[in-house]
Every structure is written in C-alpha cells, then in structure tokens.
Amino acid sequence: MDSNNLTQFAGAIASGAVRVVDLTFTLSPDFPVIVLPPEFGQAAPVRIQRISLYDAAGPAWYWNNLTFGEHTGTHFDAPIHWFTGKDLPNNSVDTLPVRDMIAPACVIDCSAEAAQNPDFLLTIPVVEAWENRHGRIPERHWVLLRTDWSKKGWRDYANLKDDGAHTPGPDAAVMRWLVEERGIIGLGTETIGTDAGQAGHLDPPYPAHHFLHGGGRYGLQCLCNLDQLPATGAVIIAAPLKIQNGSGSPLRVLALVPAA
Ligand SMILES: O=C(O)C(=O)c1ccccc1S
Ligand SMILES: [Mn+2]
C-alpha cells in the first residue's frame, strides 16, 4: 500500500466515510470483575486515587493513581495468561507482534440464543451456519461473539449464582476448530471472560483460554456495541498496555467500519 492510500484512509476516518465504533466499557471501580472460586487469587478491583485536582496538592493540575488487575474491564488476554501458552515465544502483552493489534473481524450474532439461555454455548454447527450465510471465516480474523450481554447493566453482568457465573461462551470443540481449522487471531466476547461462566466443567476446562492461548492467539473480553458492527468487514484495533511480561491489560478497543 503506498503512502497516498494510507493518507486517504486517514481522510476517510476524518470525514466519517469510515466509522470508528468504541467497543470499550469505561474502566471504573463500579465495573464488575471476574470472581474465581475463593481458594484462588482474585483480580484486584479498579481503584482511582486522586493525587490532586487544581488544589494545594497540585495547584494547576489534575491526576490520579490507578490500581487494577490485568484482567479488569474491557481487556486483552495474551497467550502467557494460560498454561497452554506459557512457553510460546512473544507471548506477553509487551512482546506480542504489534501487527497482531490490528486485524479484521467476523461478528457472530447469538443474542437471541443467549437471551433464551444464559448458559448458551457456541458450537461448530452454529458457526458453520454463519459461514453458509457470510462465507468461510478467513485466517487472522477476530471472531466476536455477539450476545448483547453488555446491555444487561453492570449489576447483572456477572450473573453469579451459588454454583458460579452463568454466562454464554464457546464449547471446547468450536474453540479447537476455530484455532486449528480457521486460524483465527482471537475470540472477543461481551462477557467477563472469553469462556462461558460454567466453562470450568467443560473438557478441557476453560476451552477458550486453553485453545486460544495454546495456539498463540488472543482474547478480548467485556466488549460492548457489537450490535453496531456488520457480520464481516470491520477492522479491530486492540493494542494492550506494554506491561512488562504482562498476561493481559485493560485497553481501548476500536472497530473501523465502512459507512453504509
Ligand atoms: O481471562 C480472564 O479474564 C478470565 O476469564 C480468567 C482469568 C483468570 C482465571 C480464569 C479465568 S476464566
Ligand atoms: Mn482475561
């Protein structure tokens, strides 16, 4: 692509000919974070501690100290996050190839199924039916699972019951298939994890994490506004913080969408 095309692309964004859709929740102490069984370590809650607000602590400036877990809010999972990806090269947020931070996306709308069943699992037949309509999922594409879960409001977001969270996600067979047969770059979900809330009972447990990160692929969680994206044609910008040896990070996720 020559520099002229890139400049024209920037012009298309400025003119609105290419829409920029924000797929990110506001990072807030009020946003729910994943709750693991009590015997395990937990994500630190988001804390925003004011240092000064144009006051005696800082007469001309406003700033804060931030505390948060790598896996809080709308965030990115790197392969090092899971044991299956722990020995892969360039597997942390500070070492993964920057070219992987911009990639096209396929959006699979399972909002009706998730509305009927909070434990809905995406399967190979559901994806094959999507491919019959929209074409085969190309390599190095994100698969974004639209469930409209992000519209539930923060209070009901985790949908925690006595036996853990009940939220939709992929089954094990489709995760192995998407990584090994379709070569996706990663899976994005609206829910708190790329895995279903009850994924600990699947085989292998947490199959999205298992196969994505074992295959050197990535996860995006707590996305919103997927209903504003076309089934194909959007390009995702997802650049995690460059945290030393980081397993993931909160980030801004943007979708570039050709104006209709
Ligand atoms: O990656 C995550 O945020 C996530 O969902 C997770 C984090 C840690 C342990 C298990 C899971 S399942
Ligand atoms: Mn995560």
Side-chain angles (χ1 to χ4, degrees), residues 143-162:
V143 166
L144 302 182
L145 179 57
R146 178 188 160 187
T147 55
D148 286 355
W149 203 264
S150 58
K151 300 179 182 308
K152 279 192 171 299
W154 294 2
R155 189 173 50 84
D156 305 325
Y157 202 62
N159 200 23
L160 281 173
K161 310 294 181 195
D162 293 344

Side-chain angles (χ1 to χ4, degrees), residues 34 36 71 75 77 81-82 192-195 206 209 221:
I34 190 166
L36 296 182
H71 295 256
H75 72 275
D77 284 5
H81 172 45
W82 216 251
I192 286 184
T194 48
D195 273 300
Y206 302 107
H209 287 77
Q221 298 126 95

